[in-house]
Amino acid sequence: MRQIGREPIFIDRGEGCELIDVDGRRYLDWVGSWGPLILGHAEPSVVAAVIEAAKRGTSFGAATAIEVDLAQQVVDRFPAIEMVRMTSSGTEAAMGAVRLARAITGRDVVVKFAGAYHGHSDGLLADAGSGLATLAVPASPGVTAAQAEDTVVVAWNDREAVAEALAKRPVAALLAEPIAANMGVVPPAAGFLEFLREQTSAHGALLVFDEVITGFRVARGGAQELYGVEPDLTVMGKVLGGGLPAAAYGGPREAMERIAPAGDVYQAGTLSGNPLAVAAGRATLAALDAKAYARLGELTDRLAAGLRRLAAGRPLLVAEVPGLLTLFFSDRPVRNFADASACDVEAHARFCRAMLDRGVYPPPAQFEAWFVSLAHDEDAIARTLEAAGESRNRVLLIWIEIGSSAIPLIRRLLVIVAEAQIQLEARGDAPIILNEAA
């Protein structure tokens, strides 16, 4: 909320696709707890599963049958996974996957992409400097240079940078969101994931897909199903826990049996595989069949198409994959974090504030994704597009009103024209062409 210049909203409860704050105001929610709530808030089947699990006990510190059942559902969905290790957060899962990759390869260096977020473990909380392939520098106080020095950061969708990084030093793992979603939604360029698969195999490095966001959301088997590229290890979270704290990493049996107690790579957690989180995850995955994914894709397409119509002729771009989209305030294609960073974040902030004033809650950051849920419907999309049209034009009106160099009469005329445009578009009539060049 600081990024858009306003105070946080304090939430009282959620219902379907809506949030209700402590003052009783309702918002159409396109954040969905940053991804887990693919079925919407307080989905009855999930709530019932959690209640039933709680009646049997909230934590045991021992294995449960339902934990094994959830692992089996993951294995059934992801051909690249034969065994699963549960954790309580995506940060833990990514950390465990990297440790396992280093143990398997006997190497230290990890390659990641600028703008990608893989949790807040020290070695992965790093930013890039200049150049194609650059040793990372700490991105947060408390992260030492020594902790970051084995991380190499390269640009997303940049084949030359990847090839250089893999050739320069022995690399344990290349860690990637197969669809970048922490710089806004930036899909891989054609053939880029295949290139990552070929290059890591050629250099003896493991390819690790961080599907904390995309797993169980963009397709039944995540982005690796969508693009037909199988990694060596997969990190999962968010939807896997159905709104409760749960994550996991998985891969071939031979690799996963290196983890203690079966093997020598240590990882543990008292609440890993917690029965309440597992119950929520099982209930969520049970609802995600082929029909559900078709519906989710349809809803995403409708929202994206409507936003594109509003963006026509303006410096706005819409990026989408099933279940995810981002509205970039830019007139240039967004291919990586540098492109995303060049977006007009002030215009985005004004847009978000205007949307919140109209009862719609988009992600309050240019670098986050909108999360579509199965609780959204055509009415929610229509209400969102109406608010987006008004908010987009409000961004333009503010620009006109603060233009100190404009002649007052001309400025007032532009305000009248912009207001007329809002009214025409609200009635469905042809819009007046109006932009900053006018």
Side-chain angles (χ1 to χ4, degrees):
M1 287 296 179
R2 180 177 296 169
Q3 293 184 48
I4 65 170
R6 63 157 293 159
E7 293 298 316
I9 298 170
F10 283 80
I11 305 304
D12 178 65
R13 65 190 188 280
E15 297 174 358
C17 66
E18 291 188 322
L19 288 173
I20 300 91
D21 68 17
V22 292
D23 296 318
R25 182 167 184 180
R26 289 180 174 268
Y27 301 87
L28 275 173
D29 180 21
W30 295 102
V31 176
S33 190
W34 304 104
L37 301 180
I38 195 168
L39 303 182
H41 293 278
E43 163 60 30
S45 62
V46 176
V47 172
V50 172
I51 290 172
E52 287 303 310
K55 289 177 181 178
R56 294 189 294 272
T58 59
S59 181
F60 307 117
T64 63
I66 62 171
E67 183 180 359
V68 177
D69 180 69
L70 180 62
Q72 185 62 56
Q73 290 193 47
V74 173
V75 170
D76 289 344
R77 287 169 176 261
F78 288 80
I81 298 177
E82 294 176 341
M83 293 186 75
V84 174
R85 170 57 64 95
M86 296 293 296
T87 68
S88 296
S89 70
T91 291
E92 294 175 76
M95 185 170 60
V98 167
R99 181 180 298 159
L100 178 59
R102 284 173 167 153
I104 290 171
T105 62
R107 301 172 177 179
D108 297 331
V109 176
V110 172
V111 176
K112 61 162 283 193
F113 291 97
Y117 178 70
H118 305 291
H120 57 267
S121 62
D122 289 341
L124 297 178
L125 201 60
D127 281 340
S130 59
L132 289 175
T134 309
L135 288 179
V137 296
S140 170
V143 178
T144 68
Q147 289 166 326
E149 69 180 2
D150 285 329
T151 304
V152 173
V153 184
V154 298
W156 178 241
N157 280 324
D158 189 332
R159 295 190 181 206
E160 183 180 353
V162 170
E164 180 182 328
L166 290 172
K168 196 170 184 178
R169 299 171 67 187
V171 172
L174 186 150
L175 184 57
E177 296 176 275
I179 301 169
N182 281 290
M183 60 185 79
V185 176
V186 184
F192 186 64
L193 295 185
E194 290 85 349
F195 175 78
L196 298 184
R197 177 68 281 174
E198 294 165 4
Q199 287 290 303
T200 50
S201 296
H203 288 87
L206 298 191
L207 178 59
V208 181
F209 276 177
D210 182 341
E211 295 229 42
V212 167
I213 288 178
T214 56
F216 315 104
R217 171 169 285 277
V218 300
R220 184 176 184 275
Q224 52 198 267
E225 175 187 315
L226 203 62
Y227 291 96
V229 177
E230 292 188 6
D232 297 299
L233 298 174
T234 300
V235 180
M236 298 156 281
K238 293 191 183 289
V239 172
L240 180 66
L244 272 70
Y249 58 106
R253 178 177 294 274
E254 181 181 4
M256 297 302 294
E257 286 186 338
R258 285 292 304 272
I259 302 169
D264 55 351
V265 179
Y266 188 74
Q267 182 263 313
T270 298
L271 296 178
S272 297
N274 174 265
L276 273 62
V278 169
R282 290 172 71 212
T284 298
L285 294 188
L288 296 176
D289 56 13
K291 184 178 179 180
Y293 284 110
R295 175 64 174 164
L296 192 68
E298 178 183 315
L299 289 168
T300 308
D301 288 344
R302 290 190 183 186
L303 178 60
L307 290 172
R308 287 194 182 98
R309 286 193 296 271
L310 294 173
R314 298 170 178 84
L316 296 172
L317 303 172
V318 181
E320 67 160 313
V321 293
L324 296 167
L325 64 84
T326 297
L327 183 61
F328 288 110
F329 282 73
S330 175
D331 57 1
R332 294 166 38 193
V334 176
R335 300 155 298 182
N336 51 44
F337 185 54
D339 292 338
S341 298
C343 291
D344 188 343
V345 293
E346 290 301 322
H348 176 269
R350 294 194 295 270
F351 176 80
C352 285
R353 291 196 301 268
M355 290 286 276
L356 287 165
D357 289 343
R358 289 159 176 78
V360 178
Y361 180 31
Q366 177 65 93
F367 310 122
E368 298 286 356
W370 295 45
F371 291 93
V372 183
S373 81
L374 291 166
H376 290 103
D377 56 18
E378 285 73 11
D379 178 65
I381 292 173
R383 289 162 58 194
T384 299
L385 294 177
E386 180 181 4
E390 294 173 357
S391 300
R392 173 212 61 191
N393 285 302
R394 184 59 191 159
V395 169
L396 178 59
L397 285 172
I398 291 172
W399 172 83
I400 295 169
E401 290 165 355
I402 65 175
S404 60
S405 63
I407 299 172
L409 181 60
I410 294 176
R411 187 166 70 244
R412 180 56 190 157
L413 177 60
L414 290 173
V415 171
I416 292 170
V417 172
E419 289 174 340
Q421 176 169 322
I422 296 172
Q423 294 172 8
L424 285 169
E425 292 187 359
R427 295 199 327 239
D429 294 335
I432 300 168
I433 301 302
L434 181 66
N435 52 40
E436 293 190 10

